[in-house]
Amino acid sequence: MILLIVSWRASFAWLTQRVPPRERLLLVGTSSAAIELARELFDRRQELGVDIVGFIDPDPSRLGAPVLNPA
């Protein structure tokens, strides 16, 4: 059973690194919680299969402002 679980996890890790993200996410809000969530998602994007495409904020002054710099 342990061998099966380890093999499954290794196969899953290998597959998620070779398959492009399946879910595209548009995050609502630019609060500190939203930015923290975006950083966590960005760090684990290969494992989770997600790609952050942008943010939406009701404040027009935030238009074009950098929110997340993953570099």
Side-chain angles (χ1 to χ4, degrees):
M1 188 57 126
I2 293 172
L3 181 62
L4 177 67
I5 292 170
V6 170
S7 299
W8 170 253
R9 181 63 188 157
S11 299
F12 182 76
W14 179 83
L15 183 64
T16 57
Q17 290 179 353
R18 274 131 187 100
V19 175
R22 295 174 303 278
E23 295 292 328
R24 296 171 42 118
L25 298 177
L26 183 62
L27 298 174
V28 178
T30 57
S31 67
S32 60
I35 293 170
E36 185 177 335
L37 172 64
R39 285 192 177 120
E40 180 70 26
L41 289 171
F42 183 81
D43 290 342
R44 298 180 61 197
R45 68 189 178 278
Q46 292 297 329
E47 179 183 345
L48 298 174
V50 297
D51 185 24
I52 299 171
V53 296
F55 291 85
I56 295 176
D57 196 284
D59 183 7
S61 68
R62 300 282 301 164
L63 182 65
V67 177
L68 178 66
N69 185 2

Short mmCIF file of all heavy atoms in Angstrom, two decimals:
data_model
loop_
_atom_site.label_atom_id
_atom_site.label_comp_id
_atom_site.label_asym_id
_atom_site.label_seq_id
_atom_site.Cartn_x
_atom_site.Cartn_y
_atom_site.Cartn_z
N MET A 1 0.82 -1.18 0.00
CA MET A 1 0.00 0.00 0.00
C MET A 1 0.87 1.25 0.00
O MET A 1 0.57 2.21 -0.70
CB MET A 1 -0.92 -0.03 1.22
CG MET A 1 -1.93 1.07 1.19
SD MET A 1 -2.92 1.05 -0.29
CE MET A 1 -4.52 1.02 0.36
N ILE A 2 1.94 1.23 0.80
CA ILE A 2 2.84 2.38 0.86
C ILE A 2 3.49 2.61 -0.50
O ILE A 2 3.60 3.74 -0.97
CB ILE A 2 3.90 2.20 1.97
CG1 ILE A 2 3.21 2.23 3.34
CG2 ILE A 2 4.97 3.27 1.88
CD1 ILE A 2 4.11 1.88 4.49
N LEU A 3 3.90 1.53 -1.14
CA LEU A 3 4.51 1.64 -2.47
C LEU A 3 3.51 2.23 -3.47
O LEU A 3 3.89 3.07 -4.30
CB LEU A 3 5.00 0.27 -2.94
CG LEU A 3 5.67 0.24 -4.31
CD1 LEU A 3 6.92 1.11 -4.31
CD2 LEU A 3 6.02 -1.19 -4.69
N LEU A 4 2.28 1.83 -3.39
CA LEU A 4 1.25 2.36 -4.27
C LEU A 4 1.06 3.87 -4.05
O LEU A 4 1.00 4.64 -5.02
CB LEU A 4 -0.08 1.64 -4.03
CG LEU A 4 -1.26 2.16 -4.86
CD1 LEU A 4 -1.05 1.87 -6.33
CD2 LEU A 4 -2.55 1.55 -4.36
N ILE A 5 1.02 4.31 -2.81
CA ILE A 5 0.83 5.73 -2.51
C ILE A 5 2.03 6.55 -2.98
O ILE A 5 1.87 7.60 -3.60
CB ILE A 5 0.58 5.93 -1.01
CG1 ILE A 5 -0.77 5.33 -0.63
CG2 ILE A 5 0.63 7.41 -0.62
CD1 ILE A 5 -1.03 5.26 0.85
N VAL A 6 3.24 6.07 -2.72
CA VAL A 6 4.44 6.77 -3.16
C VAL A 6 4.50 6.84 -4.68
O VAL A 6 4.83 7.87 -5.26
CB VAL A 6 5.70 6.11 -2.56
CG1 VAL A 6 6.97 6.68 -3.18
CG2 VAL A 6 5.72 6.27 -1.05
N SER A 7 4.17 5.74 -5.34
CA SER A 7 4.17 5.71 -6.81
C SER A 7 3.14 6.69 -7.37
O SER A 7 3.41 7.39 -8.34
CB SER A 7 3.87 4.31 -7.33
OG SER A 7 4.84 3.41 -6.89
N TRP A 8 1.95 6.71 -6.77
CA TRP A 8 0.90 7.62 -7.22
C TRP A 8 1.35 9.07 -7.08
O TRP A 8 1.18 9.87 -7.99
CB TRP A 8 -0.40 7.38 -6.46
CG TRP A 8 -1.41 8.45 -6.74
CD1 TRP A 8 -1.79 9.44 -5.90
CD2 TRP A 8 -2.12 8.65 -7.96
NE1 TRP A 8 -2.71 10.25 -6.51
CE2 TRP A 8 -2.93 9.79 -7.79
CE3 TRP A 8 -2.15 7.99 -9.17
CZ2 TRP A 8 -3.76 10.27 -8.78
CZ3 TRP A 8 -2.98 8.47 -10.17
CH2 TRP A 8 -3.77 9.59 -9.97
N ARG A 9 1.93 9.42 -5.95
CA ARG A 9 2.38 10.80 -5.71
C ARG A 9 3.49 11.18 -6.68
O ARG A 9 3.49 12.28 -7.22
CB ARG A 9 2.84 10.94 -4.26
CG ARG A 9 3.29 12.31 -3.90
CD ARG A 9 2.15 13.29 -4.01
NE ARG A 9 2.67 14.63 -3.83
CZ ARG A 9 2.11 15.72 -4.26
NH1 ARG A 9 0.95 15.67 -4.88
NH2 ARG A 9 2.65 16.87 -4.07
N ALA A 10 4.42 10.29 -6.94
CA ALA A 10 5.50 10.57 -7.89
C ALA A 10 4.94 10.74 -9.30
O ALA A 10 5.35 11.64 -10.03
CB ALA A 10 6.53 9.45 -7.85
N SER A 11 4.00 9.90 -9.68
CA SER A 11 3.38 10.02 -11.00
C SER A 11 2.61 11.32 -11.13
O SER A 11 2.67 12.00 -12.17
CB SER A 11 2.42 8.84 -11.25
OG SER A 11 3.10 7.64 -11.22
N PHE A 12 1.89 11.70 -10.09
CA PHE A 12 1.13 12.94 -10.11
C PHE A 12 2.06 14.15 -10.23
O PHE A 12 1.80 15.07 -11.01
CB PHE A 12 0.28 13.05 -8.84
CG PHE A 12 -0.57 14.28 -8.79
CD1 PHE A 12 -1.72 14.36 -9.54
CD2 PHE A 12 -0.21 15.35 -8.00
CE1 PHE A 12 -2.51 15.49 -9.51
CE2 PHE A 12 -0.98 16.49 -7.95
CZ PHE A 12 -2.14 16.57 -8.72
N ALA A 13 3.15 14.16 -9.48
CA ALA A 13 4.12 15.26 -9.55
C ALA A 13 4.73 15.35 -10.94
O ALA A 13 4.88 16.44 -11.49
CB ALA A 13 5.20 15.07 -8.49
N TRP A 14 5.09 14.23 -11.52
CA TRP A 14 5.67 14.21 -12.86
C TRP A 14 4.67 14.74 -13.89
O TRP A 14 5.02 15.55 -14.74
CB TRP A 14 6.09 12.79 -13.22
CG TRP A 14 6.67 12.68 -14.60
CD1 TRP A 14 7.95 12.95 -14.96
CD2 TRP A 14 5.97 12.29 -15.78
NE1 TRP A 14 8.09 12.75 -16.31
CE2 TRP A 14 6.89 12.35 -16.84
CE3 TRP A 14 4.66 11.92 -16.04
CZ2 TRP A 14 6.54 12.04 -18.14
CZ3 TRP A 14 4.31 11.60 -17.34
CH2 TRP A 14 5.24 11.66 -18.37
N LEU A 15 3.43 14.31 -13.79
CA LEU A 15 2.41 14.71 -14.74
C LEU A 15 2.09 16.20 -14.64
O LEU A 15 1.95 16.88 -15.66
CB LEU A 15 1.14 13.89 -14.54
CG LEU A 15 0.00 14.14 -15.51
CD1 LEU A 15 0.43 13.75 -16.92
CD2 LEU A 15 -1.23 13.35 -15.10
N THR A 16 1.99 16.73 -13.44
CA THR A 16 1.64 18.14 -13.29
C THR A 16 2.74 19.07 -13.77
O THR A 16 2.47 20.21 -14.12
CB THR A 16 1.30 18.49 -11.82
OG1 THR A 16 2.40 18.14 -11.00
CG2 THR A 16 0.04 17.80 -11.36
N GLN A 17 3.97 18.59 -13.83
CA GLN A 17 5.06 19.41 -14.35
C GLN A 17 5.08 19.42 -15.87
O GLN A 17 5.64 20.32 -16.48
CB GLN A 17 6.39 18.92 -13.82
CG GLN A 17 6.56 19.20 -12.35
CD GLN A 17 7.88 18.70 -11.83
OE1 GLN A 17 8.64 18.03 -12.53
NE2 GLN A 17 8.17 19.01 -10.58
N ARG A 18 4.46 18.45 -16.50
CA ARG A 18 4.49 18.36 -17.96
C ARG A 18 3.22 18.83 -18.65
O ARG A 18 3.22 19.13 -19.82
CB ARG A 18 4.80 16.93 -18.38
CG ARG A 18 6.29 16.72 -18.43
CD ARG A 18 6.69 15.48 -17.72
NE ARG A 18 8.13 15.33 -17.60
CZ ARG A 18 8.80 15.61 -16.51
NH1 ARG A 18 8.19 16.15 -15.49
NH2 ARG A 18 10.08 15.37 -16.42
N VAL A 19 2.15 18.90 -17.90
CA VAL A 19 0.87 19.34 -18.46
C VAL A 19 0.68 20.81 -18.13
O VAL A 19 0.87 21.21 -16.99
CB VAL A 19 -0.29 18.50 -17.86
CG1 VAL A 19 -1.63 19.01 -18.34
CG2 VAL A 19 -0.11 17.04 -18.21
N PRO A 20 0.33 21.64 -19.12
CA PRO A 20 0.14 23.06 -18.83
C PRO A 20 -1.04 23.27 -17.88
O PRO A 20 -1.89 22.38 -17.73
CB PRO A 20 -0.15 23.67 -20.20
CG PRO A 20 -0.57 22.55 -21.06
CD PRO A 20 0.06 21.31 -20.51
N PRO A 21 -1.11 24.45 -17.26
CA PRO A 21 -2.22 24.72 -16.33
C PRO A 21 -3.58 24.48 -16.98
O PRO A 21 -3.79 24.81 -18.14
CB PRO A 21 -2.04 26.19 -15.97
CG PRO A 21 -0.60 26.46 -16.23
CD PRO A 21 -0.20 25.57 -17.36
N ARG A 22 -4.49 23.92 -16.21
CA ARG A 22 -5.81 23.60 -16.73
C ARG A 22 -6.84 24.68 -16.38
O ARG A 22 -7.81 24.84 -17.06
CB ARG A 22 -6.26 22.25 -16.17
CG ARG A 22 -5.41 21.12 -16.64
CD ARG A 22 -5.78 19.81 -15.97
NE ARG A 22 -5.70 19.85 -14.52
CZ ARG A 22 -4.59 19.70 -13.80
NH1 ARG A 22 -3.45 19.52 -14.41
NH2 ARG A 22 -4.62 19.73 -12.49
N GLU A 23 -6.63 25.38 -15.27
CA GLU A 23 -7.60 26.38 -14.82
C GLU A 23 -6.97 27.76 -14.88
O GLU A 23 -5.89 27.98 -14.36
CB GLU A 23 -8.05 26.09 -13.39
CG GLU A 23 -8.82 24.81 -13.23
CD GLU A 23 -10.17 24.86 -13.88
OE1 GLU A 23 -10.78 25.94 -13.93
OE2 GLU A 23 -10.62 23.81 -14.35
N ARG A 24 -7.66 28.69 -15.51
CA ARG A 24 -7.22 30.08 -15.53
C ARG A 24 -8.04 30.84 -14.50
O ARG A 24 -9.26 30.76 -14.50
CB ARG A 24 -7.42 30.66 -16.93
CG ARG A 24 -6.56 29.96 -17.96
CD ARG A 24 -6.91 30.39 -19.37
NE ARG A 24 -7.14 31.81 -19.46
CZ ARG A 24 -6.43 32.66 -20.21
NH1 ARG A 24 -5.47 32.19 -20.93
NH2 ARG A 24 -6.72 33.93 -20.22
N LEU A 25 -7.36 31.56 -13.61
CA LEU A 25 -8.03 32.25 -12.52
C LEU A 25 -7.97 33.76 -12.69
O LEU A 25 -6.92 34.32 -12.99
CB LEU A 25 -7.37 31.90 -11.18
CG LEU A 25 -7.40 30.45 -10.76
CD1 LEU A 25 -6.63 30.28 -9.46
CD2 LEU A 25 -8.81 29.97 -10.60
N LEU A 26 -9.09 34.41 -12.47
CA LEU A 26 -9.18 35.86 -12.41
C LEU A 26 -9.58 36.18 -10.98
O LEU A 26 -10.69 35.86 -10.54
CB LEU A 26 -10.22 36.38 -13.40
CG LEU A 26 -10.37 37.88 -13.49
CD1 LEU A 26 -9.06 38.52 -13.96
CD2 LEU A 26 -11.49 38.24 -14.46
N LEU A 27 -8.67 36.78 -10.22
CA LEU A 27 -8.91 37.04 -8.80
C LEU A 27 -9.65 38.35 -8.61
O LEU A 27 -9.33 39.35 -9.25
CB LEU A 27 -7.59 37.06 -8.05
CG LEU A 27 -6.81 35.75 -8.08
CD1 LEU A 27 -5.45 35.91 -7.43
CD2 LEU A 27 -7.59 34.65 -7.41
N VAL A 28 -10.62 38.34 -7.71
CA VAL A 28 -11.43 39.53 -7.44
C VAL A 28 -10.87 40.21 -6.20
O VAL A 28 -10.79 39.60 -5.13
CB VAL A 28 -12.90 39.15 -7.23
CG1 VAL A 28 -13.72 40.38 -6.89
CG2 VAL A 28 -13.46 38.46 -8.47
N GLY A 29 -10.49 41.48 -6.35
CA GLY A 29 -9.97 42.26 -5.24
C GLY A 29 -8.46 42.30 -5.23
O GLY A 29 -7.79 41.45 -5.80
N THR A 30 -7.93 43.34 -4.59
CA THR A 30 -6.49 43.48 -4.45
C THR A 30 -6.11 43.74 -2.99
O THR A 30 -5.13 44.41 -2.71
CB THR A 30 -5.96 44.62 -5.35
OG1 THR A 30 -6.64 45.83 -5.02
CG2 THR A 30 -6.12 44.30 -6.81
N SER A 31 -6.89 43.20 -2.08
CA SER A 31 -6.58 43.34 -0.66
C SER A 31 -5.34 42.52 -0.34
O SER A 31 -4.85 41.73 -1.15
CB SER A 31 -7.76 42.87 0.18
OG SER A 31 -7.93 41.47 0.03
N SER A 32 -4.84 42.68 0.86
CA SER A 32 -3.65 41.93 1.26
C SER A 32 -3.93 40.42 1.26
O SER A 32 -3.06 39.62 0.92
CB SER A 32 -3.16 42.38 2.63
OG SER A 32 -4.16 42.18 3.61
N ALA A 33 -5.16 40.03 1.60
CA ALA A 33 -5.51 38.60 1.58
C ALA A 33 -5.51 38.06 0.15
O ALA A 33 -5.04 36.94 -0.10
CB ALA A 33 -6.88 38.40 2.22
N ALA A 34 -6.02 38.85 -0.80
CA ALA A 34 -6.04 38.42 -2.20
C ALA A 34 -4.62 38.30 -2.75
O ALA A 34 -4.31 37.35 -3.49
CB ALA A 34 -6.85 39.40 -3.04
N ILE A 35 -3.76 39.21 -2.37
CA ILE A 35 -2.38 39.17 -2.84
C ILE A 35 -1.64 37.99 -2.21
O ILE A 35 -0.88 37.29 -2.89
CB ILE A 35 -1.67 40.50 -2.55
CG1 ILE A 35 -2.31 41.60 -3.40
CG2 ILE A 35 -0.18 40.41 -2.84
CD1 ILE A 35 -1.89 43.00 -3.05
N GLU A 36 -1.90 37.72 -0.94
CA GLU A 36 -1.28 36.56 -0.28
C GLU A 36 -1.75 35.26 -0.94
O GLU A 36 -0.95 34.35 -1.17
CB GLU A 36 -1.64 36.57 1.20
CG GLU A 36 -0.96 35.48 1.99
CD GLU A 36 -1.28 35.56 3.47
OE1 GLU A 36 -1.61 36.65 3.96
OE2 GLU A 36 -1.21 34.52 4.13
N LEU A 37 -3.04 35.19 -1.25
CA LEU A 37 -3.58 34.01 -1.95
C LEU A 37 -2.92 33.87 -3.32
O LEU A 37 -2.52 32.77 -3.72
CB LEU A 37 -5.09 34.14 -2.11
CG LEU A 37 -5.75 33.08 -2.98
CD1 LEU A 37 -5.61 31.70 -2.35
CD2 LEU A 37 -7.20 33.42 -3.22
N ALA A 38 -2.77 34.97 -4.04
CA ALA A 38 -2.15 34.93 -5.36
C ALA A 38 -0.71 34.45 -5.28
O ALA A 38 -0.27 33.66 -6.12
CB ALA A 38 -2.22 36.30 -6.01
N ARG A 39 0.02 34.89 -4.28
CA ARG A 39 1.41 34.44 -4.12
C ARG A 39 1.47 32.94 -3.85
O ARG A 39 2.31 32.23 -4.40
CB ARG A 39 2.09 35.22 -3.00
CG ARG A 39 2.44 36.61 -3.41
CD ARG A 39 3.36 37.30 -2.42
NE ARG A 39 3.70 38.61 -2.94
CZ ARG A 39 3.44 39.74 -2.32
NH1 ARG A 39 2.86 39.73 -1.13
NH2 ARG A 39 3.77 40.89 -2.86
N GLU A 40 0.58 32.46 -2.99
CA GLU A 40 0.54 31.03 -2.69
C GLU A 40 0.18 30.22 -3.94
O GLU A 40 0.79 29.19 -4.23
CB GLU A 40 -0.46 30.75 -1.57
CG GLU A 40 -0.57 29.31 -1.17
CD GLU A 40 0.66 28.79 -0.45
OE1 GLU A 40 1.37 29.58 0.18
OE2 GLU A 40 0.88 27.56 -0.51
N LEU A 41 -0.81 30.70 -4.68
CA LEU A 41 -1.20 30.01 -5.91
C LEU A 41 -0.08 30.03 -6.93
O LEU A 41 0.14 29.05 -7.63
CB LEU A 41 -2.46 30.66 -6.50
CG LEU A 41 -3.75 30.42 -5.73
CD1 LEU A 41 -4.87 31.29 -6.31
CD2 LEU A 41 -4.14 28.96 -5.76
N PHE A 42 0.63 31.16 -7.02
CA PHE A 42 1.73 31.25 -7.98
C PHE A 42 2.84 30.27 -7.61
O PHE A 42 3.40 29.60 -8.49
CB PHE A 42 2.28 32.67 -8.04
CG PHE A 42 3.36 32.82 -9.07
CD1 PHE A 42 3.04 32.98 -10.41
CD2 PHE A 42 4.70 32.76 -8.71
CE1 PHE A 42 4.04 33.09 -11.36
CE2 PHE A 42 5.70 32.87 -9.65
CZ PHE A 42 5.37 33.04 -10.99
N ASP A 43 3.15 30.18 -6.32
CA ASP A 43 4.21 29.26 -5.89
C ASP A 43 3.85 27.80 -6.14
O ASP A 43 4.73 26.98 -6.41
CB ASP A 43 4.50 29.44 -4.40
CG ASP A 43 5.18 30.77 -4.10
OD1 ASP A 43 5.74 31.39 -5.03
OD2 ASP A 43 5.14 31.20 -2.93
N ARG A 44 2.57 27.47 -6.09
CA ARG A 44 2.12 26.08 -6.25
C ARG A 44 1.38 25.86 -7.56
O ARG A 44 0.65 24.89 -7.70
CB ARG A 44 1.23 25.72 -5.08
CG ARG A 44 1.97 25.79 -3.75
CD ARG A 44 1.11 25.43 -2.59
NE ARG A 44 0.64 24.06 -2.75
CZ ARG A 44 -0.38 23.56 -2.09
NH1 ARG A 44 -1.05 24.30 -1.24
NH2 ARG A 44 -0.76 22.32 -2.27
N ARG A 45 1.58 26.74 -8.55
CA ARG A 45 0.80 26.69 -9.79
C ARG A 45 0.96 25.38 -10.55
O ARG A 45 0.01 24.88 -11.13
CB ARG A 45 1.13 27.88 -10.68
CG ARG A 45 2.52 27.88 -11.25
CD ARG A 45 2.85 29.19 -11.95
NE ARG A 45 4.19 29.22 -12.46
CZ ARG A 45 5.26 29.52 -11.73
NH1 ARG A 45 5.11 29.82 -10.45
NH2 ARG A 45 6.46 29.50 -12.25
N GLN A 46 2.15 24.80 -10.56
CA GLN A 46 2.35 23.54 -11.28
C GLN A 46 1.62 22.41 -10.57
O GLN A 46 0.98 21.57 -11.21
CB GLN A 46 3.85 23.22 -11.39
CG GLN A 46 4.60 24.15 -12.29
CD GLN A 46 4.13 24.07 -13.73
OE1 GLN A 46 3.69 23.03 -14.21
NE2 GLN A 46 4.20 25.18 -14.44
N GLU A 47 1.71 22.39 -9.27
CA GLU A 47 1.07 21.33 -8.49
C GLU A 47 -0.45 21.42 -8.57
O GLU A 47 -1.14 20.41 -8.68
CB GLU A 47 1.51 21.45 -7.03
CG GLU A 47 0.89 20.44 -6.11
CD GLU A 47 1.31 20.65 -4.66
OE1 GLU A 47 2.27 21.39 -4.40
OE2 GLU A 47 0.65 20.06 -3.81
N LEU A 48 -0.98 22.65 -8.53
CA LEU A 48 -2.43 22.85 -8.54
C LEU A 48 -3.02 22.92 -9.94
O LEU A 48 -4.23 22.79 -10.11
CB LEU A 48 -2.78 24.13 -7.78
CG LEU A 48 -2.39 24.14 -6.30
CD1 LEU A 48 -2.65 25.51 -5.70
CD2 LEU A 48 -3.15 23.07 -5.55
N GLY A 49 -2.19 23.17 -10.95
CA GLY A 49 -2.68 23.26 -12.31
C GLY A 49 -3.47 24.53 -12.57
O GLY A 49 -4.50 24.48 -13.24
N VAL A 50 -3.00 25.66 -12.04
CA VAL A 50 -3.72 26.92 -12.22
C VAL A 50 -2.79 27.97 -12.82
O VAL A 50 -1.57 27.89 -12.70
CB VAL A 50 -4.30 27.45 -10.89
CG1 VAL A 50 -5.33 26.51 -10.32
CG2 VAL A 50 -3.21 27.73 -9.88
N ASP A 51 -3.39 28.95 -13.46
CA ASP A 51 -2.67 30.08 -14.04
C ASP A 51 -3.44 31.34 -13.69
O ASP A 51 -4.61 31.48 -14.05
CB ASP A 51 -2.56 29.90 -15.55
CG ASP A 51 -1.71 30.97 -16.21
OD1 ASP A 51 -0.85 31.55 -15.52
OD2 ASP A 51 -1.91 31.21 -17.41
N ILE A 52 -2.81 32.28 -12.99
CA ILE A 52 -3.46 33.54 -12.63
C ILE A 52 -3.39 34.46 -13.84
O ILE A 52 -2.31 34.78 -14.32
CB ILE A 52 -2.78 34.18 -11.42
CG1 ILE A 52 -2.86 33.26 -10.21
CG2 ILE A 52 -3.41 35.53 -11.10
CD1 ILE A 52 -2.02 33.71 -9.03
N VAL A 53 -4.56 34.89 -14.33
CA VAL A 53 -4.59 35.76 -15.50
C VAL A 53 -4.75 37.22 -15.15
O VAL A 53 -4.48 38.08 -15.98
CB VAL A 53 -5.69 35.33 -16.50
CG1 VAL A 53 -5.39 33.95 -17.06
CG2 VAL A 53 -7.05 35.36 -15.87
N GLY A 54 -5.17 37.54 -13.93
CA GLY A 54 -5.28 38.93 -13.55
C GLY A 54 -6.11 39.14 -12.30
O GLY A 54 -6.54 38.20 -11.65
N PHE A 55 -6.31 40.42 -12.00
CA PHE A 55 -7.08 40.84 -10.83
C PHE A 55 -8.18 41.80 -11.29
O PHE A 55 -8.00 42.54 -12.25
CB PHE A 55 -6.19 41.60 -9.84
CG PHE A 55 -5.17 40.74 -9.16
CD1 PHE A 55 -3.95 40.49 -9.75
CD2 PHE A 55 -5.42 40.21 -7.91
CE1 PHE A 55 -2.99 39.72 -9.13
CE2 PHE A 55 -4.48 39.42 -7.27
CZ PHE A 55 -3.26 39.18 -7.87
N ILE A 56 -9.27 41.80 -10.55
CA ILE A 56 -10.36 42.77 -10.76
C ILE A 56 -10.52 43.53 -9.45
O ILE A 56 -10.57 42.92 -8.38
CB ILE A 56 -11.68 42.07 -11.12
CG1 ILE A 56 -11.57 41.37 -12.44
CG2 ILE A 56 -12.82 43.07 -11.14
CD1 ILE A 56 -12.81 40.59 -12.81
N ASP A 57 -10.59 44.86 -9.55
CA ASP A 57 -10.78 45.69 -8.36
C ASP A 57 -11.78 46.79 -8.70
O ASP A 57 -11.69 47.38 -9.78
CB ASP A 57 -9.46 46.29 -7.91
CG ASP A 57 -9.53 46.83 -6.50
OD1 ASP A 57 -10.11 47.90 -6.30
OD2 ASP A 57 -9.03 46.14 -5.61
N PRO A 58 -12.73 47.07 -7.80
CA PRO A 58 -13.72 48.11 -8.09
C PRO A 58 -13.15 49.53 -8.05
O PRO A 58 -13.77 50.46 -8.54
CB PRO A 58 -14.78 47.92 -7.00
CG PRO A 58 -14.09 47.22 -5.90
CD PRO A 58 -13.01 46.39 -6.54
N ASP A 59 -11.95 49.70 -7.50
CA ASP A 59 -11.33 51.02 -7.41
C ASP A 59 -10.64 51.37 -8.73
O ASP A 59 -9.65 50.76 -9.10
CB ASP A 59 -10.31 51.02 -6.26
CG ASP A 59 -9.67 52.38 -6.04
OD1 ASP A 59 -10.09 53.37 -6.68
OD2 ASP A 59 -8.76 52.45 -5.19
N PRO A 60 -11.16 52.38 -9.47
CA PRO A 60 -10.56 52.71 -10.77
C PRO A 60 -9.13 53.24 -10.67
O PRO A 60 -8.38 53.18 -11.64
CB PRO A 60 -11.49 53.78 -11.35
CG PRO A 60 -12.48 54.11 -10.32
CD PRO A 60 -12.32 53.19 -9.17
N SER A 61 -8.72 53.72 -9.51
CA SER A 61 -7.35 54.21 -9.38
C SER A 61 -6.32 53.09 -9.39
O SER A 61 -5.15 53.33 -9.58
CB SER A 61 -7.21 55.05 -8.10
OG SER A 61 -7.33 54.22 -6.96
N ARG A 62 -6.77 51.86 -9.18
CA ARG A 62 -5.86 50.70 -9.19
C ARG A 62 -5.60 50.16 -10.59
O ARG A 62 -4.78 49.28 -10.77
CB ARG A 62 -6.45 49.57 -8.33
CG ARG A 62 -6.68 49.89 -6.89
CD ARG A 62 -5.46 49.86 -6.05
NE ARG A 62 -4.86 48.53 -6.11
CZ ARG A 62 -3.62 48.29 -5.72
NH1 ARG A 62 -2.89 49.24 -5.24
NH2 ARG A 62 -3.13 47.09 -5.81
N LEU A 63 -6.29 50.72 -11.60
CA LEU A 63 -6.13 50.24 -12.97
C LEU A 63 -4.68 50.38 -13.43
O LEU A 63 -4.10 51.45 -13.37
CB LEU A 63 -7.05 51.03 -13.91
CG LEU A 63 -7.04 50.61 -15.37
CD1 LEU A 63 -7.58 49.19 -15.50
CD2 LEU A 63 -7.87 51.55 -16.18
N GLY A 64 -4.10 49.28 -13.83
CA GLY A 64 -2.73 49.28 -14.34
C GLY A 64 -1.67 49.23 -13.26
O GLY A 64 -0.49 49.15 -13.56
N ALA A 65 -2.05 49.29 -11.99
CA ALA A 65 -1.08 49.24 -10.90
C ALA A 65 -0.57 47.82 -10.72
O ALA A 65 -1.35 46.88 -10.77
CB ALA A 65 -1.71 49.73 -9.60
N PRO A 66 0.74 47.66 -10.52
CA PRO A 66 1.27 46.30 -10.30
C PRO A 66 0.75 45.76 -8.97
O PRO A 66 0.77 46.44 -7.96
CB PRO A 66 2.78 46.50 -10.29
CG PRO A 66 2.99 47.93 -9.99
CD PRO A 66 1.79 48.67 -10.47
N VAL A 67 0.29 44.54 -8.99
CA VAL A 67 -0.26 43.92 -7.78
C VAL A 67 0.64 42.79 -7.29
O VAL A 67 0.88 42.66 -6.11
CB VAL A 67 -1.69 43.38 -8.06
CG1 VAL A 67 -2.25 42.67 -6.84
CG2 VAL A 67 -2.61 44.51 -8.48
N LEU A 68 1.11 41.99 -8.20
CA LEU A 68 1.91 40.81 -7.85
C LEU A 68 3.11 40.75 -8.77
O LEU A 68 2.96 40.77 -9.99
CB LEU A 68 1.06 39.54 -8.01
CG LEU A 68 1.73 38.22 -7.74
CD1 LEU A 68 2.09 38.11 -6.27
CD2 LEU A 68 0.81 37.08 -8.13
N ASN A 69 4.28 40.71 -8.18
CA ASN A 69 5.49 40.60 -8.97
C ASN A 69 6.17 39.29 -8.62
O ASN A 69 6.90 39.22 -7.63
CB ASN A 69 6.43 41.77 -8.69
CG ASN A 69 7.65 41.76 -9.59
OD1 ASN A 69 7.77 40.89 -10.46
ND2 ASN A 69 8.54 42.69 -9.38
N PRO A 70 5.91 38.24 -9.39
CA PRO A 70 6.44 36.92 -9.05
C PRO A 70 7.94 36.77 -9.26
O PRO A 70 8.52 35.80 -8.85
CB PRO A 70 5.66 35.97 -9.96
CG PRO A 70 5.28 36.81 -11.11
CD PRO A 70 5.08 38.20 -10.57
N ALA A 71 8.57 37.72 -9.91
CA ALA A 71 10.01 37.59 -10.21
C ALA A 71 10.88 37.80 -9.05
O ALA A 71 10.94 37.69 -8.00
CB ALA A 71 10.41 38.62 -11.25
#
